[in-house]
Amino acid sequence: MPERPEPGRAGTVAWPEGGLARAEFVEEVRAQGALHYRDLPWRNVDDAYAVLVSEIMLQQTQVARVAKYWERFLAAFPTLDALAAAEPAEVLELWQGLGYNRRALALKRAADVCAADFGGRLPETAEGLMALPGIGPATAAGVTAFARNRPAVYVETNVRAVFIHCLFPERDRVADREIVPLVADTCPPDDAREWYYALLDFGAHLKQAVANPSRRSAHHARQSAFAGSRRQKRAEVLRIVLGSPGVTADVAHERLNEFEAAGGRGSVDRALFESIVDDLVAEGFFGREGEALRA
């Protein structure tokens, strides 16, 4: 992957034709961001760990749902050291309802590394952050911009929506390689936090007001239905094990079938059930002791 351009250095890239000029774009983002500002609990927070938790939770999860979990999670695990000291089952229990449970385990593993190697603090650089489990470029940029108010190249779905809507109004299949230099070019050197809040809030508004511009991204993928999916079955098996430590595989399979029946679906083949259990064990969600499943 080519190196990302350095943010906070305006005027260093060619501006695309067919959309707003650079000055017009910046003015429009500032105005729309102020008009549609969302006062979210994790905003204007200088605690990098708290911001990291919000960024991980917000991956593939709606803002309204995250708002119900973020404060509760931080109350239970207020620091990286507290999260590192927790049992994985405790972390997963508090994560139930957010979905994509791998994120919880990755966050726990990142805390383990920070507690062991960095004195219970997150690394100061984006490169250091990305060396931790579960932290990619967008998450590292989010921590850098929102917690530390430093320039960063932060690209996520709402940010994409704004750039595509304003700068590529007639284009489909707009690639991130076209957007990233523009994100870097417009990120201010001394106000990254407020700039990205404006982009996020403008983007969220656009998705309500017009056809979602993110669908014109080359990287857009429609999310598959959750109900009845393997992903839902995985989540239910994990919920069963967390709720009944030491439950046998036979009983867990029976309870999964009861859950499926309540949703108007047929029973789960035993081979599929065992495959799901094997995956969850391999990924560290719980262990298997004979027939007993225990987180």
Side-chain angles (χ1 to χ4, degrees):
M1 177 180 293
E3 184 176 345
R4 287 196 163 198
E6 183 179 348
R9 298 178 62 185
T12 57
V13 299
W15 207 249
E17 298 180 359
L20 296 179
R22 187 186 185 284
E24 294 173 326
F25 174 78
V26 170
E27 183 179 357
E28 178 72 356
V29 170
R30 293 288 191 190
Q32 293 293 331
L35 186 62
H36 301 291
Y37 180 78
R38 296 172 295 173
D39 187 18
L40 302 172
W42 47 84
R43 288 195 166 176
N44 300 298
V45 171
D46 294 329
D47 182 347
Y49 164 63
V51 171
L52 174 64
V53 172
S54 72
E55 287 295 300
I56 297 293
M57 286 184 170
L58 286 163
Q59 294 170 7
Q60 299 175 293
T61 303
Q62 293 181 344
V63 168
R65 182 176 293 272
V66 172
K68 299 175 182 178
Y69 284 83
W70 181 76
E71 289 179 338
R72 187 180 72 171
F73 191 91
L74 288 177
F77 312 117
T79 65
L80 281 162
D81 283 337
L83 182 57
E87 293 296 325
E90 296 177 81
V91 179
L92 290 167
E93 185 65 36
L94 274 182
W95 201 269
Q96 291 302 292
L98 277 171
Y100 297 95
N101 293 297
R102 288 189 187 93
R103 297 177 299 170
L105 284 187
L107 181 58
K108 158 70 173 158
R109 289 166 183 154
D112 293 343
V113 173
C114 290
D117 299 341
F118 301 114
R121 296 177 57 85
L122 285 170
E124 287 292 322
T125 66
E127 293 75 14
L129 289 167
M130 285 189 287
L132 296 174
I135 300 183
T139 302
V143 172
T144 300
F146 300 132
R148 294 164 174 162
N149 204 19
R150 299 175 189 163
V153 181
Y154 183 65
V155 181
E156 59 82 72
T157 179
N158 284 341
V159 173
R160 281 193 192 94
V162 174
F163 278 84
I164 291 173
H165 176 77
C166 293
L167 305 182
F168 302 93
E170 305 298 329
R171 285 272 311 278
D172 288 325
R173 306 290 298 169
V174 181
D176 276 2
R177 66 176 178 273
E178 300 174 83
I179 294 175
V180 164
L182 303 171
V183 175
D185 184 60
T186 52
C187 178
D190 56 358
D191 193 20
R193 173 187 284 172
E194 294 301 325
W195 172 247
Y196 282 120
Y197 288 165
L199 279 168
L200 289 170
D201 294 342
F202 185 15
H205 166 70
L206 283 173
K207 290 180 176 180
Q208 299 296 320
V210 300
N212 184 356
S214 293
R215 294 174 184 165
R216 295 193 283 114
S217 166
H219 310 281
H220 176 74
R222 185 180 296 276
Q223 190 175 37
S224 59
F226 180 66
S229 66
R230 182 185 179 95
R231 185 160 57 91
Q232 187 187 41
K233 293 176 177 61
R234 280 173 51 101
E236 182 61 17
V237 171
L238 180 58
R239 189 192 67 79
I240 290 167
V241 174
L242 290 175
S244 302
V247 65
T248 66
D250 285 344
V251 171
H253 186 207
E254 180 181 340
R255 291 182 184 174
L256 177 61
N257 282 334
E258 291 171 355
F259 172 80
E260 292 293 294
R265 296 178 294 273
S267 61
V268 178
D269 179 80
R270 182 69 185 214
L272 173 57
F273 169 78
E274 291 292 345
S275 172
I276 290 170
V277 169
D278 288 345
D279 284 350
L280 291 169
V281 170
E283 293 165 27
F285 287 101
F286 54 77
R288 187 166 192 166
E289 303 167 4
E291 279 297 295
L293 307 176
R294 194 185 310 275

